[in-house]
Amino acid sequence: MKKTRARAIPLLLLTLAFFAGIAYFVINLTIHSSQWASMPTNGHLSDSDGLDKAGTITDRNGVVLAESRDGKRIYNEDQSIRCACLPVIGDNSVNNSTAIQTVYRPELSGYNFIFGLGLPDEIKSGQDIQLTIDSKMQKAAYEALGGSKGAVVVYNYKTGELLCLASTPTYDPYDKPEDINTNPAYEGAYLNRAISSAYPPGSTFKLVTAAAALEYIDNAEHREYDCEGSTEIGGKIINCYEISGHIEMKEALMTSCNGYFAHLAVDLGKSKMTDQATKMGFNSSFEFDGITTGKSVYDVSKADENELAWSGVGQYQVLETPINMAMRSAAIANGGSPMKPFLIKNMSAAFGAWMPDRSSSKGSSMMSSSEAEKLTEMMDYTVANYYGKVSFPVELDVCAKTGTAEISDGGSDAHAWVTGFTKSEEHPYAFAVIVENGNSGYQVAIPVASAVLNSVL
């Protein structure tokens, strides 16, 4: 009897493991079947034939960006719009992993859970997708970036709708360059830099350091400092762009005084700086509409005192994605908490429309409302007294901060940044612009942002 029981136990365990495996497979098949079907190894979806009868993609205003006619995928007739929207919608391939025609290929192609792709073409119904982006704004960003590599993010900080996710270099889906994989001019053309690339944020990060000081230091906005053009921290020199003289925080932000914010970072310490950066989206990626962003990074665990100081001005090893930078500007504009960005306005098929649930679209708090109000005042002061209100569309009443981010390659020019938001009730937009090797945020990034914002007026 004991021998029978001893032999039965392993058999029972094997049986349980078998049925557990079956259950695991069925659950995964139910949840992930459409994703498995859309893998690049599936030729039915990954080659051009996968879109020959696919649904239509339009922008927020109903402008057709991609549709299928007579067994061919057709893109917008305006070449600039085709190039500008390629990083968002993709081409016939699946090379761009964050593009709509990659992420939503099963839905566009009429994938069915029961029949897979086996339904006859006569009854197969690919879903149509309307995006939140504005193709006119995408075109303006593409043209403003010109031949430079870079990215532009604009989104509505009241609703979360992404209006612009521009990225260059790009190409015409009708005329893909033959040397795209070898020509340096097309480096990263399959990548949407707006959501996937992370760069040194430079002086735009001073908003994070300022927020940390407002959180942890009493009366921080009135903290005084004498800027003489350079300061020594940790035995090494940190230089400023100019001699700012006797200043408080709003003047330090306006003149972008490195010394002021470098000393703040050291006084705050690694823990508090890290806590604030983490609250503002660093050290994690996030997902929207099935698309996962790149990760912004703030890690000073191994930094010495001088490196910690440099981190406070957005250098050292600090990295940030353009979309995260736009979100923290949105948080400042929105009382401390950003709205979660989204790209899908609606999806429709033969059985009706599908509207995404945006009921929990408010993101985690990045700062208190009083801190957001103080940063708003400082950014507004910076534009009014340093950049000039006329640097942006005056009707939109823009608050902003530029950055010129030095990079490790000493032979290359710095990256040019600007981030900010509008105070317009009709157009409540947060934005971030980077021009790679643009050298000056004020001279290069601001005109790009201005051109994109002007396109909505």
Side-chain angles (χ1 to χ4, degrees):
M1 189 68 176
K2 289 181 179 180
K3 288 184 179 180
T4 303
R5 187 182 298 113
R7 291 171 181 171
I9 290 175
L11 183 61
L12 177 61
L13 292 175
L14 285 172
T15 303
L16 290 174
F18 173 77
F19 282 107
I22 293 293
Y24 177 79
F25 173 78
V26 171
I27 292 171
N28 270 273
L29 177 64
T30 304
I31 296 174
H32 301 296
S33 59
S34 64
Q35 297 174 22
W36 294 347
S38 64
M39 291 178 66
T41 49
N42 184 355
H44 293 290
L45 284 176
S46 62
D47 61 19
S48 59
D49 294 336
L51 296 172
D52 55 358
K53 295 185 181 298
T56 299
I57 301 174
T58 57
D59 80 346
R60 64 184 299 102
N61 300 309
V63 175
V64 175
L65 304 178
E67 63 180 336
S68 292
R69 277 187 265 149
D70 301 324
K72 294 183 179 180
R73 198 61 173 165
I74 307 298
Y75 297 92
N76 191 277
E77 61 183 11
D78 186 320
Q79 184 184 31
S80 292
I81 289 180
R82 291 199 301 270
C83 293
C85 292
L86 178 87
V88 177
I89 66 172
D91 59 9
N92 290 1
S93 73
V94 290
N95 290 316
N96 186 337
S97 63
T98 63
I100 291 297
Q101 291 191 151
T102 300
V103 178
Y104 289 90
R105 211 169 184 88
E107 290 82 358
L108 286 165
S109 301
Y111 175 84
N112 180 281
F113 175 73
I114 302 298
F115 299 100
L117 295 169
L119 284 173
D121 289 340
E122 294 75 17
I123 62 173
K124 186 187 296 183
S125 177
Q127 296 188 42
D128 298 329
I129 299 177
Q130 183 176 24
L131 304 178
T132 60
I133 65 165
D134 186 327
S135 58
K136 183 170 66 173
M137 192 177 285
Q138 286 280 134
K139 179 179 177 179
Y142 167 70
E143 293 179 342
L145 286 167
S148 300
K149 295 178 181 179
V152 178
V153 178
V154 181
Y155 90 109
N156 187 314
Y157 60 77
K158 295 292 186 184
T159 65
E161 294 170 288
L162 282 160
L163 302 169
C164 181
L165 279 177
S167 176
T168 52
T170 179
Y171 59 90
D172 188 337
Y174 285 151
D175 187 22
K176 182 178 176 180
E178 293 183 0
D179 60 348
I180 191 169
N181 294 318
T182 58
N183 189 337
Y186 294 107
E187 182 183 4
Y190 293 137
L191 188 73
N192 190 333
R193 285 166 157 79
I195 56 179
S196 298
S197 294
Y199 305 88
S203 292
T204 62
F205 189 82
K206 290 168 183 171
L207 294 168
V208 179
T209 306
L214 293 170
E215 172 71 18
Y216 295 112
I217 299 176
D218 292 338
N219 208 29
E221 66 269 33
H222 297 301
R223 185 185 180 98
E224 298 178 333
Y225 177 73
D226 287 309
C227 175
E228 299 177 352
S230 65
T231 186
E232 183 178 318
I233 299 178
K236 297 178 182 178
I237 297 296
I238 290 179
N239 291 311
C240 288
Y241 300 109
E242 58 187 83
I243 299 174
S244 301
H246 190 75
I247 50 175
E248 294 185 350
M249 187 181 286
K250 72 175 182 179
E251 286 85 12
L253 192 70
M254 179 186 72
T255 62
S256 207
C257 177
N258 285 343
Y260 188 97
F261 290 96
H263 280 290
L264 267 186
V266 173
D267 291 346
L268 286 161
K270 294 180 180 181
S271 178
K272 290 176 180 175
M273 282 294 297
T274 301
D275 287 347
Q276 185 62 46
T278 300
K279 281 199 299 184
M280 300 185 87
F282 287 82
N283 303 322
S284 64
S285 56
F286 67 94
E287 183 179 304
F288 64 94
D289 292 338
I291 299 168
T292 301
T293 70
K295 182 186 289 187
S296 299
V297 179
Y298 182 84
D299 182 3
V300 291
S301 59
K302 297 180 181 178
D304 60 27
E305 187 178 51
N306 182 264
E307 290 167 336
L308 175 60
W310 275 117
S311 79
V313 300
Q315 296 292 166
Y316 180 49
Q317 297 175 3
V318 185
L319 298 172
E320 186 167 17
T321 61
I323 193 168
N324 190 72
M325 190 178 291
M327 285 184 68
R328 61 180 171 87
S329 284
I332 296 170
N334 213 32
S337 299
M339 298 298 288
K340 294 178 182 177
F342 64 91
L343 187 58
I344 303 295
K345 193 173 181 67
N346 62 66
M347 296 177 66
S348 59
F351 52 80
W354 169 75
M355 299 292 290
D357 179 14
R358 308 295 182 191
S359 58
S360 59
S361 57
K362 197 163 190 176
S364 301
S365 174
M366 292 186 174
M367 68 199 78
S368 70
S369 59
S370 64
E371 291 160 7
E373 184 178 354
K374 290 172 183 176
L375 288 176
T376 296
E377 292 173 1
M378 293 179 198
M379 294 171 74
D380 186 54
Y381 182 83
T382 298
V383 174
N385 295 280
Y386 204 73
Y387 311 142
K389 284 289 185 179
V390 294
S391 296
F392 299 96
V394 176
E395 305 93 319
L396 297 180
D397 196 8
V398 172
C399 301
K401 179 70 186 84
T402 60
T404 302
E406 302 292 338
I407 54 180
S408 58
D409 180 3
S412 299
D413 290 331
H415 296 325
W417 281 103
V418 65
T419 187
F421 57 89
T422 68
K423 292 197 288 185
S424 166
E425 290 292 329
E426 186 180 358
H427 304 289
Y429 302 150
F431 61 88
V433 172
I434 181 170
V435 182
E436 293 184 23
N437 310 124
N439 202 36
S440 170
Y442 172 69
Q443 294 178 342
V444 177
I446 283 182
V448 174
S450 183
V452 176
L453 294 173
N454 255 317
S455 70
V456 306
L457 297 177

